[in-house]
Amino acid sequence: MNKAPPRPAAQAAHEVRIIGGLWKRSKLPVADRPGLRPTPSRVRETLFNWLGQDLSGWRCLDAFAGTGALGLEAGSRGAAEVTLVEQDPALCKSLQATVQRLKAGSVRVERGDGVAALGQRAGQGLDLVFLDPPFGDGGNETLFGTALRLARLVVADSGLIYLEAPRTWGDDELAQIGLQTHRHGRAGQVHFHLLRPLPPQ
């Protein structure tokens, strides 16, 4: 009788790893959820090269947390306060388990809608907001525009917004929101941006 082939070890597609800082190499589970698209390691590496490796004292919000990879990378590098917002209850439970496993006292998980969470934090002057909404059919243009407008109201004038999107957001349309491109890159079909507020007129 033929034996079934051995199951492969944990597949890379079902986990990602924190790539730097205190929790370097820690595994983060990736659930099988429609639209869940963890930020690839090479993109996170580029982003944190842009940001710098030491985020000590930073206050951060990951508005569409998913696996929590972006927010937990910030916490691993010393951010004083990281809020992970996620709507899916199963993903929230997984995030809570990860935070407990890492003993990540600076990280808080909040179940809720990312756009609503941004709206509730206007004027808080955060240092960094991560925006990685589901792309959806047609790119979810309205969601991206709304999230960017609200994020601009959440970050400090010296703060930064990280955006992943299915296309490049140009300076003209960003200027209408009060933002400008600080850095931009592309990995496959994903365009990633580091944005900063325009100086006050």
Side-chain angles (χ1 to χ4, degrees):
M1 187 168 97
N2 291 333
K3 291 183 178 180
R7 288 188 177 183
Q11 297 177 10
H14 289 86
E15 66 182 34
V16 294
R17 290 176 185 262
I18 295 175
I19 58 172
L22 181 63
W23 308 318
K24 185 177 181 178
R25 299 189 188 88
S26 296
K27 297 177 183 178
L28 306 177
V30 179
D32 187 12
R33 285 285 188 279
L36 185 61
R37 179 186 35 77
T39 301
S41 295
R42 63 191 176 118
V43 174
R44 281 182 282 130
E45 184 174 9
T46 298
L47 169 62
F48 284 92
N49 285 336
W50 290 346
L51 292 170
Q53 301 301 320
D54 183 2
L55 304 190
S56 295
W58 288 37
R59 298 165 61 224
C60 309
L61 172 67
D62 190 346
F64 303 90
T67 63
L70 289 168
L72 288 167
E73 286 283 1
S76 185
R77 289 165 167 80
E81 177 186 312
V82 179
T83 303
L84 306 176
V85 180
E86 175 52 51
Q87 197 163 29
D88 185 302
L91 291 179
C92 272
K93 187 175 180 180
S94 178
L95 287 170
Q96 290 280 17
T98 298
V99 167
Q100 290 175 9
R101 173 168 53 87
L102 295 175
K103 298 180 173 60
S106 62
V107 181
R108 185 168 66 90
V109 178
E110 179 180 306
R111 184 181 170 193
D113 175 71
V115 170
L118 289 165
Q120 292 161 5
R121 287 170 168 79
Q124 287 194 358
L126 299 186
D127 299 291
L128 177 61
V129 171
F130 297 106
L131 298 179
D132 182 15
F135 287 2
D137 295 332
N140 273 352
E141 284 288 309
T142 302
L143 172 60
F144 280 86
T146 301
L148 280 168
R149 286 183 180 85
L150 292 172
R152 172 60 189 93
L153 301 176
V154 172
V155 295
D157 287 343
S158 58
L160 295 162
I161 297 168
Y162 172 74
L163 171 70
E164 281 188 33
R167 67 172 180 87
T168 300
W169 279 70
D171 282 334
D172 288 345
E173 59 187 334
L174 288 170
Q176 296 175 26
I177 306 173
L179 296 169
Q180 60 185 331
T181 302
H182 179 56
R183 295 279 192 275
H184 173 264
R186 182 176 180 182
Q189 300 302 309
V190 176
H191 296 257
F192 53 101
H193 314 65
L194 192 59
L195 310 174
R196 61 169 68 244
L198 285 168
Q201 296 293 329

